Amino acid sequence: MSESQYDSEARIELSGKRSPQEAKFLGMSARNERRNFRLGVTNGVLYGLGTSFISRSTIMPSFFSHLTSSSALIGLVSQFESIGWYLPQFIAASFVVHWPKKLPLYRLGWWVRGSALFLLAAVTLWSPSASVLLVLAVLLYAIFAGGSGLSGVVFLDLVAKTIPANSRGRFFGLRISLASVLSVTLAAGAISLLLAGYRFPVNFGLVFLVAAVIVTVGLGFMAFMREPRTRVVPDQRTLFEHFKEGWKIYRADKLFANYIHTRMLMSSCTIGVPFLVIFAHKRLGFQTSDLGIFVAADCLGTIIGNFFWERLTDRRSAKICLEVATITNLALPIIVLLYLWFPLPKLFYASVFSIAAAFDAGTSIGGMTYIIEISPEHDRSTYIGLFNSLMSLPLMLTAAAGALLDLSGYGILYGLVLALSVASLFAVRRLDVR
């Protein structure tokens, strides 16, 4: 749509009258919204299915545990996808904050992510020495993850422009739910067959190749969305001016600052997730070929949790969604601690992956909706970029968590996770809305 078309819509809203030309513009807008909704959902479904083959809670920790015994390195690398999504966004926003249309940056991220993932698959299939594979895999996975940060600030701004507020919970919910259903029915079985049928690292290389194909195709759907122009944008800024503006927003907008503090605390609750699969291998005797069970449990947790999250967000509020997700997450460290003390059924351990996935889905649906709601339209890119970049900081604590695990064991680590989860619940309850 052109800028003049948006001006026409504004006149319609003020006058309440519709000429044939204005009705045509409104019809075009509605068609674009439906088209973008379908493309966005398809993008999310395929991306979610593809990334289940490189799951940061199951596949990647297991893969890197074959190459290094350092829990700190495994923990940090396993969070690359989340760190790469969050960290670059504020810097990326500084280059596009004044653009009326920001989709070209998303397309650049599409190219970077797809290329890095195909190269990761190729290197793993090449099967070099463990030390060479470790270095190249860390580098390529970091590039893949960093590419998502180029697209992240565009993604949320695009959702805010094209998806009506009362449909965003359904939008995010459909993306996550359908991806999870396909992951349970297709990905879990395929992963188990590939990992059991070939030797290391060829088995993981084939898993990464499947991920590369599906993820790259999925990202392409959103790259062809029709992006409306932002009617009012900030002036172009230097990077230094952008940082100054971010600091000014953080100091002046107390609601936004409080949300940042709360979400940073909530993110710190995930520092134990990368070590769940290591615990399963070392303490409970699960094999690499059993990872499909954990992937299925992960996806089931997303499906079940998401059924509630999208309804809580649309019918109640994003804050309620975040609160219930945080309560749910309290069970994860408790279950791990119980396995240290009691001989619980082995298969029940898969429930921790369901809980971790449900918490992740809840914070995604509720969290993205909340940040869109509290961010002013004219400077939404700055708000989203600043918020997401700061969210990368607690994720880096996984390296310290890995070191703590090596020094003190699972009891201390997951006792700390439990304490952080309780503190997060109190913080979420203090959140406010505009």
Side-chain angles (χ1 to χ4, degrees), residues 277 280-282 284-288 290 293-294 346-347 349-350:
V277 71
H281 286 323
K282 294 184 176 180
L284 302 179
F286 283 96
Q287 303 301 310
T288 301
D290 296 322
I293 298 172
F294 298 151
K346 183 178 175 180
L347 193 58
Y349 182 74

Side-chain angles (χ1 to χ4, degrees), residues 207-410:
V207 170
F208 295 160
L209 181 60
V210 174
V213 173
I214 299 174
V215 166
T216 303
V217 172
L219 291 173
F221 278 91
M222 198 153 190
F224 289 100
M225 290 179 76
R226 291 172 182 165
E227 180 186 11
R229 294 175 62 88
T230 302
R231 284 176 284 181
V232 180
V233 295
D235 295 331
Q236 185 173 356
R237 304 170 186 153
T238 65
L239 186 58
F240 176 73
E241 290 171 340
H242 192 61
F243 273 98
K244 277 186 65 176
E245 182 64 22
W247 176 246
K248 178 182 175 182
I249 289 171
Y250 174 79
R251 292 290 302 274
D253 194 331
K254 299 304 180 184
L255 177 62
F256 178 61
N258 186 40
Y259 183 55
I260 288 174
H261 302 154
T262 300
R263 282 297 306 277
M264 289 181 76
L265 187 57
M266 292 174 67
S267 293
S268 69
C269 298
T270 66
I271 59 173
V273 172
F275 311 110
L276 294 174
V277 71
I278 309 302
F279 184 90
H281 286 323
K282 294 184 176 180
R283 300 295 291 266
L284 302 179
F286 283 96
Q287 303 301 310
T288 301
S289 58
D290 296 322
L291 289 180
I293 298 172
F294 298 151
V295 171
D298 184 293
C299 297
L300 283 172
T302 302
I303 294 169
I304 296 170
N306 184 71
F307 178 82
F308 296 101
W309 306 148
E310 62 175 281
R311 285 160 177 77
L312 279 174
T313 301
D314 286 343
R315 298 177 185 178
R316 297 288 299 279
S317 69
K319 176 189 173 182
I320 295 297
C321 176
L322 291 170
E323 185 174 331
V324 177
T326 305
I327 293 172
T328 302
N329 194 57
L330 289 169
L332 188 151
I334 293 174
I335 291 174
V336 176
L337 292 171
L338 288 175
Y339 267 93
L340 289 174
W341 302 327
F342 302 103
L344 300 179
K346 183 178 175 180
L347 193 58
F348 179 69
Y349 182 74
S351 64
V352 298
F353 294 97
S354 297
I355 295 166
F359 179 65
D360 185 56
T363 54
S364 294
I365 293 175
M368 285 190 285
T369 302
Y370 189 90
I371 189 65
I372 288 172
E373 289 173 355
I374 67 171
S375 302
E377 179 185 358
H378 73 281
D379 212 7
R380 187 183 291 122
S381 294
T382 304
Y383 271 72
I384 292 172
L386 176 60
F387 169 78
N388 283 336
S389 289
L390 290 174
M391 286 306 99
S392 68
L393 300 180
L395 296 174
M396 297 180 188
L397 294 174
T398 51
L404 178 64
L405 173 60
D406 289 338
L407 289 173
S408 304
Y410 291 98

